[in-house]
Amino acid sequence: MASLHTSFLNFSLSSFVLLLLSCSWYKVSWAHDGETVEIAVHSLLPETNCIPSSKGFDNHPSGKLQLVDVNGPCSPLETTPSLEEILHQDQLRVRSIHSMINKHVRDSKAKIPTRFGLPFKTKNYVVNIGVGTPNQNLWVTMDTGSSLSWILCKTCPNCRGLPFSPSQSSSYSNIACGSADCSQAYSATHHSPACRDACIYQTQYADSDYSVGFFARETLRLTPSDVFPGFKLGCGHDVKLRDSTSGILGLGSHPASLVYQTATKFGKVFSYCLPSSTNSNGFLAFGNQTGSTSPAVRYIRLILNPQNPDLYYVPLNGISLNGRRLAIPASTFSAHGTVIDSGTIVSYLPPSAYIILRNAFRAAMSGYPSATPPRGGVYDTCYDLSRNRTVTIPSIKLNFGGGIDLLLDQYSGVITNVGSYKFCLAFSANDDEEETTIIGSIQQKTYEVIYDVPRGRLGFRSVGATCN
Ligand SMILES: *[C@@H]1O[C@H](CO)[C@@H](O)[C@H](O)[C@H]1NC(C)=O
Ligand SMILES: *[C@@H]1O[C@H](CO)[C@@H](O)[C@H](O)[C@H]1NC(C)=O
């Protein structure tokens, strides 16, 4: 099936990178920076068949793992969440991110002990890893919003994923109670110490899923050439996990994170490309993969907050629509910060900023029939494009400091398909003006997003819909 994907990367008015991956008979007109582009409505419809392109993953490139959308047709796992359920999960994740942040704010202001916000769980992108000796292969969720990695170690009534069997592995060992390694598990999961012959970790999620088990050392194999003996991870014996994965790979910036545990080899640099066409796969890469021939990477500041090592912050200060900066004061974003997250789907803005963006978007889309938004309240600006052959979607840019802008992909960064020919603006409003802005996964598509932790910068490289 021919499809058309467009991707833009633009960091200044003078630079303009355009990647047109495949083009069928559709007539397409391109315009200059900030102007709009007419695209065939048909090309916006999601693919329903998996046409996997292995992109050299069979050769197991060093430091590079195939990343698969767990809800897409290429998913290796049995998953049938409805759109409503996916959006509900997204809201739970956003609420738990906010409660985690606000917990620290409240603590530092009032010094009143408050309950920790529950960690948040992503359910969107999975990678296949090898654990143990001999190697057992497991599908786990990649999560930039948590640090402790854990795997399912037992079949359980409340989970469906394939478990790892520690008894079949010669390299498995539990971590002792009271050790420095053990306290790392407590601080990574914000949990009080627990011990049952060996160190116990516990992690609980906002959607009432949880994982409890031994904190252990085991050999982790990311690729055949990237093997890490003695990797510290949770071995879950009492787990409630709604999806069919076997656990979580934590990429936060706490010392327990994979990013820190593999620092000697990969220098705390990792990147991902989220698959934006459902018939293609993305990647999760470790270390500096930037060859001399690859297109330019543009960097913005990556801000780590020691109080919240599970969150990566960026300096968003404005939004432009069709090349015009919207009248949102930079302080709207800077007052409570902006988190970039791979596990939240939609971007969530302070309500005052969202309304300005939404109104400008609606004005630009006034020529199209509106549609009833899906239930759940995530979206409120939707269109029925079933009777339009082409559509001109307004261009949206996220403005960061220093004149750096990120032009969102018009195919997958601005609107999202919510069933048949219905599309919604892929942004939402936070419940409260005081809550942190979140840049979700939709807006990161068609880019390789590079987390360079030691240099405190986040890179964007335009890679198009197929993550090449
Ligand atoms: C990777 O290496 C290239 C070439 O040496 C360098 O220009 C670039 O800054 C490095 N990127 C990271 C994220 O370290
Ligand atoms: C889209 O289709 C609707 C229904 O046929 C029509 O009223 C509207 O004018 C079309 N919009 C554009 C911009 O062509």
Side-chain angles (χ1 to χ4, degrees), residues 17 47 54 69 111 135 173 188 274 296 310 332 397 422 449:
V17 179
E47 311 277 350
S54 60
D69 183 346
K111 295 206 169 65
N135 185 59
S173 65
L274 308 176
D310 285 338
T332 306
K397 277 197 289 192
K422 223 161 138 180
V449 184

Side-chain angles (χ1 to χ4, degrees), residues 365-369 384-392:
M365 291 285 288
S366 61
Y368 300 96
D384 173 359
L385 300 179
S386 60
R387 292 195 289 151
N388 300 85
R389 234 170 70 85
T390 59
V391 62
T392 303

Side-chain angles (χ1 to χ4, degrees), residues 67-76 123-126 275 278 280-281 445:
L67 187 65
V68 185
D69 183 346
V70 79
N71 297 322
C74 290
S75 175
K123 306 184 87 152
N124 304 333
Y125 299 100
V126 292
T278 45
S280 69
N281 289 322
K445 288 182 175 187

Side-chain angles (χ1 to χ4, degrees), residues 120-367:
F120 19 98
K121 193 173 64 194
T122 170
K123 306 184 87 152
N124 304 333
Y125 299 100
V126 292
V127 290
N128 196 251
I129 57 167
V131 181
T133 314
N135 185 59
Q136 299 175 36
N137 286 314
L138 304 169
W139 286 99
V140 292
T141 301
M142 143 190 127
D143 189 13
T144 55
S146 67
S147 291
L148 185 122
S149 301
W150 64 266
I151 50 170
L152 202 56
C153 278
K154 250 175 87 176
T155 50
C156 50
N158 290 314
C159 46
R160 289 175 283 156
L162 181 74
F164 169 74
S165 170
S167 62
Q168 310 279 305
S169 170
S170 61
S171 47
Y172 178 89
S173 65
N174 283 336
I175 285 169
C177 298
S179 62
D181 284 346
C182 186
S183 29
Q184 202 176 59
Y186 305 143
S187 73
T189 54
H190 315 286
H191 223 281
S192 43
C195 183
R196 225 177 295 141
D197 302 325
C199 182
I200 302 287
Y201 79 94
Q202 342 186 10
T203 171
Q204 208 184 341
Y205 299 97
D207 59 1
S208 86
D209 282 1
Y210 56 82
S211 170
V212 182
F214 292 113
F215 195 44
R217 281 186 179 273
E218 179 55 289
T219 299
L220 173 69
R221 177 180 166 280
L222 293 175
T223 76
S225 52
D226 302 295
V227 180
F228 298 92
F231 186 82
K232 288 170 275 182
L233 47 62
C235 187
H237 286 256
D238 181 9
V239 176
K240 178 166 173 248
L241 186 60
R242 235 162 287 204
D243 63 31
S244 315
T245 65
S246 301
I248 284 179
L249 205 58
L251 298 173
S253 69
H254 183 278
S257 158
L258 172 73
V259 178
Y260 281 61
Q261 291 199 56
T262 60
T264 313
K265 181 157 192 183
F266 297 135
K268 294 188 200 165
V269 173
F270 70 96
S271 68
Y272 54 71
C273 177
L274 308 176
S276 64
S277 156
T278 45
N279 70 354
S280 69
N281 289 322
F283 63 77
L284 171 63
F286 294 97
N288 189 344
Q289 301 266 343
T290 310
S292 51
T293 55
S294 58
V297 180
R298 304 297 177 127
Y299 288 99
I300 60 171
R301 225 151 37 88
L302 179 67
I303 306 151
L304 300 186
N305 178 349
Q307 289 204 298
N308 268 318
D310 285 338
L311 299 173
Y312 290 104
Y313 287 83
V314 291
L316 179 69
N317 68 15
I319 299 178
S320 304
L321 187 128
N322 284 344
R324 275 190 302 276
R325 179 89 174 224
L326 298 173
I328 306 167
S331 59
T332 306
F333 301 109
S334 60
H336 305 284
T338 300
V339 163
I340 182 157
D341 186 33
S342 63
T344 305
I345 298 172
V346 182
S347 288
Y348 289 79
L349 307 177
S352 68
Y354 175 73
I355 286 166
I356 292 170
L357 171 66
R358 182 197 70 183
N359 291 350
F361 183 85
R362 284 182 181 174
M365 291 285 288
S366 61

